Amino acid sequence: MIKIIDSKKMGKSDRGWLHSIFHFSFAEYYNPNNMNFGPLRVINDDIFDAQNGFATHPHENMEIISYVVDGVLTHKDSMGNKRELTRGQVQYMSAGTGVTHSEYNLTDNQLRFLQIWIMPDKNGYNPNYGDYQFDWKDRVGKWLHLVSNKEGSAPVQIHQDMNLYVVELDKGETIEYNLAKGKQAYLVQIEGTGKVNGLHMNEKDGAEIVDEEKIEIKTDTKAHYILFDMKAE
């Protein structure tokens, strides 16, 4: 079964400089029937206007991943890390027992990134930070494995049994993904339009995928996707 989540019907927030779409309940958008999908708690499609961002604020007991779509994300945290990330790059922070950080767009252009929160397999981990500068070409026409659990093989590893993949496809291109028994997936159409198992997706839409062995994506335009593979509930 595949349920398409129309981005036009998702939660939204506009603070003037920050323009967000919420795949799940977050901030002023609260829907008790849309709190999470498995351990996937937050996907916020955030746009920061030039010279704006989140001042220093705290987090705890959450695996936080940022995936940059366009622009430059500047990160600074209480562990002493200060980094800049650009299109296609990934930042990871295990908030654990507690950490503070800031996120800014210090350029004169807009920044768009996906802010992703994943619930850990248990609370109380020591805080940790990492980032990875993936080559864009490694996701063109094929799945690029971004994130796995600590026993996995992805460059970014988190405290949860979840795998993240991205792909960029040309117009009219098709790609498949096989879900193992006992797994479910969440798919985000980051850019472009296409179909998943024959169901249309517009840019920024999501799709809940359960009880499906094969996922087939066929694009209508040049397109960019992120897929979350996790244990079924």
Side-chain angles (χ1 to χ4, degrees), residues 1 19 22-23 33 39 43 63 81 88 110 126 135 142-143 150 154 163 169 179 182 184 187 202 207 223 225 227 229:
M1 182 182 74
H19 320 280
F22 305 134
H23 286 248
N33 298 316
I43 303 176
E63 308 292 286
N81 300 294
Q110 278 192 333
N126 290 327
D135 285 338
K142 58 188 176 182
W143 292 109
K150 293 296 182 179
N163 289 278
L169 301 172
L179 270 179
Q184 63 184 17
L187 179 70
N202 289 313
Y225 297 87
L227 179 98
D229 178 336

Side-chain angles (χ1 to χ4, degrees), residues 93-182:
M93 189 170 67
S94 181
T97 55
V99 66
T100 61
H101 78 137
S102 62
E103 294 170 296
Y104 279 99
N105 173 15
L106 299 179
T107 76
D108 293 327
N109 300 306
Q110 278 192 333
L111 161 69
R112 180 186 171 200
F113 71 104
L114 300 182
Q115 179 185 173
I116 299 159
W117 295 9
I118 297 166
M119 293 179 281
D121 52 22
K122 68 176 184 180
N123 292 338
Y125 285 110
N126 290 327
N128 189 28
Y129 172 87
D131 56 62
Y132 202 89
Q133 299 184 16
F134 295 91
D135 285 338
W136 187 266
K137 63 179 175 58
D138 290 337
R139 80 204 72 198
V140 176
K142 58 188 176 182
W143 292 109
L144 171 61
H145 197 185
L146 301 180
V147 177
S148 68
N149 65 10
K150 293 296 182 179
E151 288 72 47
S153 58
V156 178
Q157 298 180 350
I158 64 173
H159 299 292
Q160 183 53 265
D161 185 10
M162 182 178 290
N163 289 278
L164 275 66
Y165 298 84
V166 290
V167 65
E168 182 190 63
L169 301 172
D170 284 334
K171 179 180 179 181
E173 194 170 358
T174 300
I175 195 169
E176 294 182 351
Y177 183 88
N178 293 319
L179 270 179
K181 186 176 180 180

Side-chain angles (χ1 to χ4, degrees), residues 5 9 23 29 40 45 57 59 61 76 78 89 91 93 108 125 129 133 138 160 177 188 197 208 210 213 217-218 232:
I5 313 299
K9 298 178 181 178
H23 286 248
Y29 166 61
L40 184 55
D45 197 321
H57 57 282
H59 291 286
N61 294 318
K76 187 176 182 181
S78 55
Q89 296 179 358
Q91 171 190 284
M93 189 170 67
D108 293 327
Y125 285 110
Y129 172 87
Q133 299 184 16
D138 290 337
Q160 183 53 265
Y177 183 88
V188 178
N197 289 14
E208 296 179 356
V210 297
E213 293 183 359
I217 296 169
K218 184 172 182 178

